[in-house]
Amino acid sequence: MPAIPDYIASHFKRSSKEIGEVERRILDVAHQRKLISTDTNAAFSKNSTFGERLADGIARVGGSWGFIISFLVFLVVWAIINTVVMTTQAFDPYPFVFLNLILSMLAAIQAPIIMMSQNRQGTRDRFEAAKDYEVNLKSELEVLSLHEKIDVKVLAELVALREEIAKLHTRRDNRPDVP
């Protein structure tokens, strides 16, 4: 494999001062023949805090059909209990003011938590895109390196064949019985 400055000049068409830190690191990894691919889920999750994991969990549960259906059942049960079952002693009579308060508080807490999780998902997407770029760049460099090796091998074989053909022509020309 050629030296790293040769790689930079031949593959990036830029000088070593003009390439970024990611490209420089990937060139070094490719030159050392190391693996670059990683489990992005594990790599991203290992740096997450308890609050971030909690926000992800709440968003995962709050955005599921199980939560929606169970919450709908809870609302129907609440309405039935406070209108039909407890007609005289309802703890939250018909306009359901207490239920409205509970729902407002739930929404006030749940909305920022879900937004935190969405922001974290955006960060995760950028992290995965960066990892994909690194793997793709290394793959391209490896493919280009293989093409160069094959081209050198094919050219060497062509030179050897031409020399062999030249020798055959020389032998044929030196034979007296060939017209």
Side-chain angles (χ1 to χ4, degrees), residues 13-65:
K13 309 294 187 230
R14 294 182 271 174
S15 72
S16 62
K17 294 177 184 173
E18 294 174 328
I19 67 167
E21 181 58 35
V22 173
E23 287 85 1
R24 188 179 316 281
R25 187 169 47 79
I26 299 304
L27 280 170
D28 187 43
V29 168
H31 189 69
Q32 295 175 11
R33 302 250 186 241
K34 291 183 180 176
L35 293 177
I36 191 84
S37 58
T38 58
D39 180 5
T40 55
N41 290 325
F44 188 77
S45 295
K46 80 175 181 181
N47 296 327
S48 64
T49 65
F50 173 75
E52 291 171 335
R53 288 191 306 272
L54 182 64
D56 289 344
I58 290 171
R60 191 172 26 261
V61 170
S64 69
W65 278 108

Side-chain angles (χ1 to χ4, degrees), residues 158-171:
L158 282 174
V159 167
L161 285 172
R162 284 183 179 166
E163 289 174 359
E164 194 67 33
I165 290 171
K167 286 179 188 176
L168 289 173
H169 279 293
T170 305
R171 269 195 239 156

Side-chain angles (χ1 to χ4, degrees), residues 72-85:
L72 183 63
V73 168
F74 168 76
L75 293 174
V76 168
V77 168
W78 184 284
I80 289 172
I81 287 174
N82 282 290
T83 56
V84 176
V85 176

Side-chain angles (χ1 to χ4, degrees), residues 51-168:
E52 291 171 335
R53 288 191 306 272
L54 182 64
D56 289 344
I58 290 171
R60 191 172 26 261
V61 170
S64 69
W65 278 108
F67 176 78
I68 292 170
I69 292 169
S70 62
F71 203 70
L72 183 63
V73 168
F74 168 76
L75 293 174
V76 168
V77 168
W78 184 284
I80 289 172
I81 287 174
N82 282 290
T83 56
V84 176
V85 176
M86 302 180 81
T87 55
T88 58
Q89 296 289 328
F91 59 90
D92 189 19
Y94 167 60
F96 307 122
V97 176
F98 185 59
L99 177 63
N100 198 9
L101 175 67
I102 291 172
L103 294 176
S104 296
M105 289 190 309
L106 178 66
I109 292 170
Q110 192 178 21
I113 290 173
I114 290 173
M115 287 174 53
M116 285 178 5
S117 181
Q118 287 176 340
N119 288 340
R120 185 165 148 75
Q121 185 61 44
T123 304
R124 171 186 228 114
D125 292 344
R126 287 188 293 280
F127 178 78
E128 288 177 355
K131 287 295 181 184
D132 287 346
Y133 172 72
E134 291 175 0
V135 170
N136 290 341
L137 180 61
K138 183 171 185 278
S139 296
E140 284 184 46
L141 291 173
E142 293 295 335
V143 167
L144 288 171
S145 175
L146 288 172
H147 275 290
E148 286 177 2
K149 287 178 183 177
I150 290 171
D151 289 347
V152 166
K153 180 102 170 137
V154 167
L155 287 175
E157 288 178 6
L158 282 174
V159 167
L161 285 172
R162 284 183 179 166
E163 289 174 359
E164 194 67 33
I165 290 171
K167 286 179 188 176
L168 289 173

